[in-house]
Amino acid sequence: MVRFGAAADKKRPIIIDTDPGVDDAVAILLALASPELDIRAMTVVAGNVELPVAAANALRICALAGRADIPVHAGADRPLRRPLATATAFHGSDGLGGVPFPQPAGAIADGHAADVIVDIVRRSSQPVSICALGPLTNVALALERAPDVADAIAEIVLMGGSWRAGGNVTPAAEFNIWCDPDAAGAVLASGARIVVLPLDATHQALATPERVAALAAAEGSLADVAARLLGHGKVWADRRGMAGPAAHDSTVIGYVLSSELFDGRHVHVAVETASELTRGVTVVDWWGRTGQPANARVITQLDAERFFKLLIDRLGRL
Ligand code: RIB
Ligand code: CA
């Protein structure tokens, strides 16, 4: 797989596709705190919350960070072929865990997210990476409308799926893939260069009380808000015997910033779309049993200490 690192004199262009979402908010703030990244746009998809709430949250996150200059485009308000099922039980009805945010500073930009993704990728002089933090509906629509962009995209780095970590929305499936399994299957079949951060990886990125406290103690003006977001879901994690809530979506930005902290393998991944019981299960062919060509780099290891050092350093300076 060709990889496009951030050359010394060039920022790395990215599009963030997101369903904010508490952990999306942490990931977006990490991206905003990282000068190596050139955030060309944020595109919003229904997932954790309904589209209007997600779109307003994207604007509010940008307003909090003083980045109302970043264009925010709304996209799909439901999965390709299924009704929307949100995750407000975890993220709260406001999608931001009740953490106070300013009102949006700007308005949603014109243009459907899928069309904007295609346009930015086609026009960019440098290959653009897509950081997919939610259900893959917008990304699938973009690839459906313009299959040519599959090869033009530097890579799609997505949080989703599970190899051996079980599920978080059903016993077997992870939320982003489960929410729109048809979109996930289409993206994986598109031929684009894909990196998958499944629960096997994100469950190594746990926001322990120590890590949350270290962020809260940082100097930056947004450290306290970032810490509250990072620590959201502690009760949920405690009930599951986890040392802290997983910083799921931040691992996508962490990968784009420092892929050397992550390890995985190029394998074939397929998505279950037919069965209700196993809807959204990602079938990871780790041992090449199917003979199918690899279509994704599935990450199964990350250096959690160095990942959180990066996360806390950056968010602590916002
Ligand atoms: O399963 C975790 C994923 O689902 C994260 O992207 C979280 O924001 C939710 O969308
Ligand atoms: Ca998300």
Side-chain angles (χ1 to χ4, degrees):
M1 174 176 74
V2 173
R3 290 198 27 68
F4 296 90
D9 61 339
K10 274 192 177 165
K11 286 175 174 272
R12 181 162 173 184
I14 67 169
I15 295 170
I16 299 175
D17 189 76
T18 177
D19 62 334
V22 173
D23 62 314
D24 300 68
V26 179
I28 293 166
L29 290 173
L30 174 59
L32 293 171
S34 300
E36 308 92 314
L37 303 180
D38 170 12
I39 306 172
R40 299 285 178 86
M42 269 205 278
T43 53
V44 182
V45 64
N48 285 323
V49 288
E50 305 272 352
L51 184 66
V53 178
N57 286 346
L59 291 172
R60 293 168 72 194
I61 295 162
C62 289
L64 179 79
R67 292 300 307 277
D69 60 297
I70 293 178
V72 176
H73 296 265
D77 63 2
R78 76 200 64 187
L80 293 182
R81 293 195 275 279
R82 297 163 196 259
L84 174 65
T86 62
T88 52
F90 180 84
H91 295 271
S93 57
D94 68 349
L96 293 173
V99 176
F101 271 78
Q103 286 309 310
I108 292 294
D110 291 339
H112 187 285
D115 296 327
V116 168
I117 289 169
V118 171
D119 191 49
I120 289 173
V121 168
R122 278 181 173 159
R123 290 170 182 262
S124 179
S125 59
Q126 236 189 304
V128 178
S129 296
I130 297 177
C131 299
L133 312 181
L136 291 162
T137 319
N138 287 341
V139 180
L141 286 170
L143 290 164
E144 187 182 86
R145 295 178 188 186
D148 60 289
V149 304
D151 195 45
I153 294 167
E155 55 188 358
I156 299 171
V157 187
L158 68 94
M159 190 278 135
S162 176
W163 174 31
R164 302 191 296 191
N168 60 2
V169 63
T170 70
E174 177 280 327
F175 176 79
N176 285 339
I177 308 299
W178 175 87
C179 183
D180 195 344
D182 307 291
V187 170
L188 283 161
S190 68
R193 286 171 287 277
I194 297 171
V195 178
V196 176
L197 278 301
L199 294 179
D200 307 79
T202 66
H203 282 176
Q204 296 173 50
L206 300 182
T208 62
E210 296 74 21
R211 288 165 174 163
V212 173
L215 179 52
E219 290 300 310
S221 62
L222 301 186
D224 183 54
V225 171
R228 291 180 62 178
L229 293 164
L230 186 66
H232 176 82
K234 183 178 183 314
V235 172
W236 189 93
D238 287 347
R239 272 197 222 118
R240 287 157 179 80
M242 295 166 68
H248 295 293
D249 290 344
S250 291
T251 64
V252 170
I253 306 302
Y255 182 90
V256 172
L257 290 171
S258 299
S259 60
E260 72 280 3
L261 303 183
F262 300 78
D263 196 14
R265 182 185 288 185
H266 285 91
V267 291
H268 184 266
V269 183
V271 180
E272 172 60 64
T273 56
S275 155
E276 265 318 296
L277 175 65
T278 52
R279 160 185 166 173
V281 165
T282 42
V283 181
V284 177
D285 187 4
W286 194 258
W287 304 111
R289 302 297 298 150
T290 66
Q292 298 266 5
N295 58 355
R297 184 183 187 211
V298 175
I299 300 300
T300 55
Q301 291 300 323
L302 76 88
D303 182 331
E305 284 310 312
R306 291 171 66 196
F307 168 72
F308 275 100
K309 184 178 183 325
L310 172 70
L311 183 76
I312 292 166
D313 284 353
R314 296 290 170 96
L315 291 178
R317 278 188 268 151
L318 259 180

